Structures are given as structure tokens and as C-alpha cells.
Amino acid sequence: TCALPISLDGAKLHLLLQFSVLPGREQDWSLVQVALTDITARKKAEAYLEYLGTHDVETRAFNRSFYVDELNRLERKGLQPISIILADINGLRAANDKLGHATGDALLRRAGEVFESLVEKPASVARIGGDEFAILLPGTDAAGGEAVLHTLAELIELNNQYYTDVPLSISVGLATSQPGERLEQVAKRADQNMLQVKELYRLQADSDRRETGAA
């Protein structure tokens, strides 16, 4: 396979080069037939299939399969300590039920935009459930994890300034690995912390609805 830098219109071009020596010219290769086949479309299809194997199309975050593999990889040779953030979009089901799935899908895409801006390699963000995301932060202590949470809050606030119809709200929980602790357990602690925050959000939302109804 031969890859040329660009085609005449500036696009990356992939070519398959095939050649054969004509009969009777095998000794000196004085006459060779060369064929070039444009396989750019095939290469794009292969790259997209590879992308689908590790990414969530809706949010462009990594998918659960990648998350599981990355968790295992970090377990073996990750830079310690490792902080894990579990995040859950607040009100996604209600948005789907009351405003339609188009609104819920828009919230997911907005969450993807926020998470895409949040961290860089070797950190990663994966969508591990319908409205749940996991952020893996190798080589990050608890203070570093808190700093990421602060940045996340700022990014959500900024996102809501651009989209004023339905506010994006995310409950988060943070946990940092202790010496000898399995990362699966760290993820469970992060999830428990997230669920506590989620419950507080629900209680506040119920209180707000009661006050609005009373008014």
C-alpha cells in the first residue's frame, strides 16, 4: 500500500500499487506492468470501523469497552496514584419524557463537548452507560482530581451560556486510589460519591417543584 500526502484537491490519498513482470522479461525486468488503484474510500471505511470499536458516536467520548480495557491496563502499569471521576447527567430521563428524545440527545452531545475539552492524554473520558461517564486520571492525586472537577464546573457553566433552552447539569463523584487498592474498588467509591451528589440534586429539584407549585 502506498500513501501519497495529498491529491490534486488537497485531500489525503491512499493508493494500492501492484506490478507484474511481463513474460520473458523476468531476468532483467525490462518490461513491467504497473497498476494503481485508489483505495481512499476503503481506508476511510476501515478507519471509521476502528473508531466505532472504541468510541461512542453520540458524544465522541470513548465507549465502555475502551473504559474496561483502559482500567485493566492502568491496573497493570498505570502511573500512580489514579483518580477516577464518575459523572451522571441530571434530568436526562425527564428531558426525554417531557421534551422528546431530540432534547435528550442534544444534552448528551453537549456533555460530550464539555468532556472533550476537559482532559488530555493520558487521561480519558468514556461513556459507560446511557447518561453516565467515567473519567480516568492516571498520575493524579486527590487535589488534582478536585482541580479537574473545578474545571468541569466552569466548562458546564460556559456551555450553558451558549445553550439557554435546557441547562446542562452533571452530578459527579471523585475517588483516588490508595496503595494496593484495586481500580475497580476506586471506581465503586467514585460511583457511591456520585450517587450521594445525585440524591442531593433530586431532593433540591423536588423542593423547587413544591415551591413552584405552592406559588
Side-chain angles (χ1 to χ4, degrees), residues 11-211:
K12 187 176 182 180
L13 188 66
H14 292 271
L15 298 177
L16 177 65
L17 172 64
Q18 296 173 306
F19 68 92
S20 60
V21 181
L22 295 186
R25 305 300 177 94
E26 292 87 356
Q27 297 300 319
D28 58 6
W29 283 36
S30 59
L31 196 58
V32 178
Q33 185 179 49
V34 179
L36 290 174
T37 305
D38 186 352
I39 59 170
T40 304
R42 190 180 81 187
K43 284 294 184 181
K44 288 182 178 179
E46 290 174 353
Y48 184 61
L49 288 175
E50 184 178 351
Y51 177 88
L52 291 179
T54 57
H55 287 78
D56 171 62
V57 177
E58 188 79 58
T59 63
R60 297 194 297 182
F62 287 108
N63 59 21
R64 185 176 184 85
S65 177
F66 172 90
Y67 166 76
V68 172
D69 290 343
E70 184 68 359
L71 203 66
N72 290 332
R73 187 190 71 81
L74 293 175
E75 185 84 67
R76 296 191 305 270
K77 54 181 181 180
L79 183 62
Q80 300 293 327
I82 296 173
S83 289
I84 299 178
I85 297 172
L86 267 292
D88 189 283
I89 300 176
N90 295 320
L92 181 62
R93 182 177 299 178
N96 284 328
D97 293 342
K98 296 180 180 179
L99 303 174
H101 285 277
T103 299
D105 291 344
L107 282 174
L108 281 170
R109 288 192 293 272
R110 288 171 56 189
E113 293 173 5
V114 167
F115 287 125
E116 188 175 12
S117 303
L118 181 62
V119 296
E120 298 179 349
K121 291 183 178 179
S124 61
V125 179
R127 183 185 178 189
I128 60 174
D131 54 2
E132 192 170 3
F133 295 78
I135 305 167
L136 299 177
L137 302 168
T140 304
D141 59 12
E146 291 290 348
V148 173
L149 291 182
H150 180 73
T151 301
L152 176 59
E154 292 180 335
L155 289 172
I156 293 172
E157 182 179 358
L158 181 62
N159 186 273
N160 283 329
Q161 293 177 13
Y162 283 95
Y163 302 93
T164 57
D165 49 351
V166 179
L168 176 65
S169 174
I170 301 177
S171 294
V172 294
L174 168 68
T176 302
S177 64
Q178 302 298 322
E181 184 180 21
R182 297 291 302 273
L183 290 185
E184 183 179 356
Q185 186 60 37
V186 180
K188 287 182 179 179
R189 288 199 289 113
D191 188 55
Q192 291 169 356
N193 293 335
M194 181 272 291
L195 291 175
Q196 292 178 6
V197 175
K198 187 82 171 179
E199 182 61 23
L200 291 176
Y201 169 83
R202 289 171 179 163
L203 292 173
Q204 184 61 52
D206 290 342
S207 176
D208 292 343
R209 280 192 294 269
R210 286 194 298 269
E211 290 181 3

